[in-house]
Amino acid sequence: MACGFRRSIACQLSRVLDLPPENLIKSISAVPISKKEEVADFQLSVDSLLENNNGHSRPDMQVQATRLAEKLKCDTVVSEISTGQGTVNFKINRELLTKTVLQQVIEDGPKYGLKSELFSDVPQKKIVVEFSSPNVAKKFHVGHLRSTIIGNFIANLKEALGHQVTRINYLGDWGMQFGLLGTGFQLFGYEEKLQSNPLQHLFEVYVQVNKEAADDKSVAKSAREFFQRLELGDMQALALWQKFRDLSIEEYVRIYKRLGVHFDEYSGESFYREKSQEVLKLLDSKGLLQKTIKGTAVVDLSGNSDPSSICTVMRSDGTSLYATRDLAAAIDRMDKYHFDRMIYVTDKGQKKHFQQVFQLLQIMGYDWAERCQHVPFGVVQGMKTRRGDVTFLEDVLNEIQLRMLQNMASVKTTKELENPQETAERVGLAALIIQDFKGLLLSDYQFSWDRVFQSRGDTGVFLQYTHARLHSLEETFGCGYLNDCNTACLQEPQSVSILQHLLRFDEVLYRSSQDLQPRHIVSYLLTLSHLAAVAHKTLHVKDSPPEVAGARLHLFRAVRSVLANGMKLLGITPVCRM
């Protein structure tokens, strides 16, 4: 990809430098477009060559670049060679660039950018992504929203690159909170309320029982006893727990559908309550388990009793903990999926927890622990609905839909829509996802409804609007124009900038695949939308000669195709009317 231009340049360089083309391909990068001047299409940083040859001292980069450029020749692909600050720059034959990029975008369709030589040495792998992971019997909290959309993006990207991906939702469906909930339901629960609005009712029961347990030791004691009954497999306690779990999952599936997210497996901590006992036996047999005065079991990860490296793996009553169940889950998944990489997507507050889990796996003798990776993210602050503080994702989704419908109703250009609610939700979700993905995942950020719904500037609403506008252009002028394309009609600066930008898509995908950060793709799509907005104003299709109109439609169709591909990777469903 980059339509084979990168390889062509690498082949010429390899003859001069006596290095295999494969070693050079990743050193040749597409040049970001500039508003001020027309730039070359590709550049080679001389610095990157010297890094490949460690024996070199580093003479003046500029001299090196000039010497190298003098040895290279223009050919049918490269029309101009120049030098910059320590770089050799290559300009591609304009007509070849236009023809090849447009052809490749249309031919490759959703695979455009993914067939690149940058990915040619990437072996297909088995990848497990664990994300979302809400707590059963609690409503879907906005805190789980980031894990859901980030995990979905990572799974989409890995899948697009040809890996075999398993998406796991590891529910918080076991633990002391079920002792509280079981006791609470016996005290304050109503069967009819549970059936009509399960999560709301369980949430109310949970809040009430927590208050009671704080003031009344007997409630806290019966909660502990209820959880112990669960761990011992008491049929009555398990039946109530199962009911809570089933009703919760039904509700979650409905919300995931609204988000456009799916899972291959709904797992949970409860699956590992027996296997976590096996983990404890294994730790004990390796002499790693230590009993404390309080009766809990711990593992000292430092080996020198450093308090910050002590990991508790069992309560004093013998019941398992979160860490123990995570160890059991990891071992089970390795047996089941034989993964090459397992990615956990949770907030940065769990960083230490995962460091300890991976370390424990290592000292238990599982050297595949190094295939496990934690992708941490920051906290969203200030997400409120008009009714006040928000805790539940469903309230946010309803708010998005409502605000977007109001925005659409107030805009004169809004088309008559078959399903305005669905369009409003898709545009609103795009707005939410783009705001979330613009920065580093690890950063905390302040949420702002006003910023989310701006139709101009760098927002998801602007991306959706651009996609819908380009779709409408194709509908208006039909595909009659699209049979043949005279590329000589696309030599204006606005056309060339778009083509140069389309050329870079594979590099952007490559960067995101390396660091799992969606911001590279977001930034790319926003620039593409701004370029398309400028071109739409200046490169008219209407009233242009058929040959010119056809070429421009080809260009706009390519933009829309790449825009849709990028949005889908981010977890956004593009809308065709707005």
Side-chain angles (χ1 to χ4, degrees), residues 100-118:
T100 315
V101 171
L102 294 182
Q103 199 174 334
Q104 198 108 46
V105 172
I106 303 308
E107 273 177 18
D108 289 353
K111 285 277 175 202
Y112 178 73
L114 296 161
K115 292 182 170 182
S116 166
E117 57 262 31
L118 295 177

Side-chain angles (χ1 to χ4, degrees), residues 258 401 404-405 408 417-429 464 573-575 577:
R258 286 181 74 175
Q401 197 183 68
M404 206 59 232
L405 278 169
M408 282 158 52
L417 300 169
E418 275 173 37
N419 189 340
Q421 278 82 6
E422 187 181 81
T423 301
E425 186 146 302
R426 283 178 179 174
V427 175
L429 269 174
Q464 288 284 31
T573 305
V575 300
R577 297 173 78 83

Side-chain angles (χ1 to χ4, degrees), residues 161-208:
L161 288 167
H163 301 300
Q164 189 182 325
V165 177
T166 304
R167 300 159 185 253
I168 295 182
N169 197 342
Y170 182 65
L171 302 169
D173 65 353
W174 202 250
M176 200 52 217
Q177 79 258 33
F178 284 94
L180 281 161
L181 205 62
T183 299
F185 194 75
Q186 286 163 347
L187 291 170
F188 319 113
Y190 293 97
E191 190 58 40
E192 58 277 19
K193 280 189 179 179
L194 183 67
Q195 293 303 330
S196 65
N197 194 345
L199 289 194
Q200 183 61 39
H201 184 50
L202 288 174
F203 176 70
E204 287 160 3
V205 167
Y206 189 70
V207 170
Q208 204 170 345

Side-chain angles (χ1 to χ4, degrees), residues 398-559:
N398 294 340
E399 180 96 1
I400 278 175
Q401 197 183 68
L402 187 70
R403 282 181 185 247
M404 206 59 232
L405 278 169
Q406 287 172 346
N407 280 14
M408 282 158 52
S410 67
V411 176
K412 291 185 181 115
T413 53
T414 299
K415 305 268 192 299
E416 281 292 319
L417 300 169
E418 275 173 37
N419 189 340
Q421 278 82 6
E422 187 181 81
T423 301
E425 186 146 302
R426 283 178 179 174
V427 175
L429 269 174
L432 202 64
I433 288 170
I434 294 299
Q435 163 139 325
D436 199 285
F437 284 0
K438 267 160 75 170
L440 273 168
L441 294 180
L442 206 49
S443 307
D444 300 338
Y445 74 90
Q446 195 65 35
F447 182 82
S448 153
W449 285 109
D450 293 338
R451 203 165 59 237
V452 163
F453 287 117
Q454 281 171 358
S455 56
R456 302 202 185 287
D458 291 345
T459 65
V461 178
F462 175 57
L463 283 190
Q464 288 284 31
Y465 175 68
T466 306
H467 184 273
R469 195 183 200 184
L470 294 174
H471 188 269
S472 148
L473 197 66
E474 281 173 51
E475 271 189 333
T476 307
F477 295 99
C479 291
Y481 280 128
L482 290 170
N483 298 333
D484 199 23
C485 172
N486 182 353
T487 48
C489 299
L490 289 175
Q491 300 308 317
E492 309 88 349
Q494 296 91 329
S495 304
V496 173
S497 288
I498 286 175
L499 292 159
Q500 286 180 310
H501 196 59
L502 292 174
L503 201 56
R504 286 186 62 225
F505 191 49
D506 64 342
E507 265 179 37
V508 172
L509 295 177
Y510 183 73
R511 279 183 75 185
S512 280
S513 74
Q514 292 299 294
D515 64 9
L516 302 182
Q517 296 283 336
R519 67 196 174 106
H520 311 302
I521 297 173
V522 169
S523 167
Y524 175 90
L525 296 179
L526 289 166
T527 301
L528 184 60
S529 296
H530 286 298
L531 289 171
V534 171
H536 191 268
K537 279 181 192 153
T538 49
L539 307 177
H540 300 134
V541 174
K542 193 181 177 186
D543 301 330
S544 293
E547 211 175 24
V548 175
R552 287 174 179 175
L553 265 181
H554 256 279
L555 182 70
F556 288 128
R557 182 190 184 191
V559 171

Side-chain angles (χ1 to χ4, degrees), residues 220-335:
K221 183 171 178 267
S222 70
R224 281 195 298 277
E225 285 165 0
F226 188 93
F227 182 53
Q228 222 161 354
R229 281 168 56 204
L230 274 177
E231 287 250 309
L232 294 169
D234 176 90
M235 295 309 286
Q236 214 179 343
L238 278 172
L240 189 59
W241 167 84
Q242 189 70 50
K243 186 194 282 186
F244 294 163
R245 189 181 194 275
D246 293 347
L247 288 168
S248 298
I249 290 177
E250 261 175 53
E251 188 96 341
Y252 293 150
V253 169
R254 193 175 56 75
I255 292 172
Y256 288 129
K257 202 172 174 184
R258 286 181 74 175
L259 285 170
V261 172
H262 72 277
F263 291 92
D264 300 303
E265 182 186 305
Y266 278 89
S267 166
E269 294 181 67
S270 61
F271 286 51
Y272 301 106
R273 60 184 193 271
E274 282 160 26
K275 286 185 174 157
S276 59
Q277 294 304 318
E278 292 166 29
V279 167
L280 292 170
K281 280 179 194 155
L282 184 57
L283 286 166
D284 202 19
S285 69
K286 289 182 178 284
L288 296 164
L289 218 52
Q290 298 172 14
K291 280 277 170 71
T292 67
I293 303 164
K294 293 176 185 170
T296 59
V298 299
V299 177
D300 176 11
L301 293 166
S302 67
N304 58 16
S305 303
D306 172 2
S308 67
S309 297
I310 300 284
C311 182
T312 307
V313 290
M314 187 184 80
R315 286 194 182 88
S316 55
D317 60 5
T319 55
S320 61
L321 281 145
Y322 184 44
T324 336
R325 296 190 286 270
D326 260 354
L327 288 169
I331 296 162
D332 179 57
R333 287 173 196 170
M334 192 57 183
D335 291 343

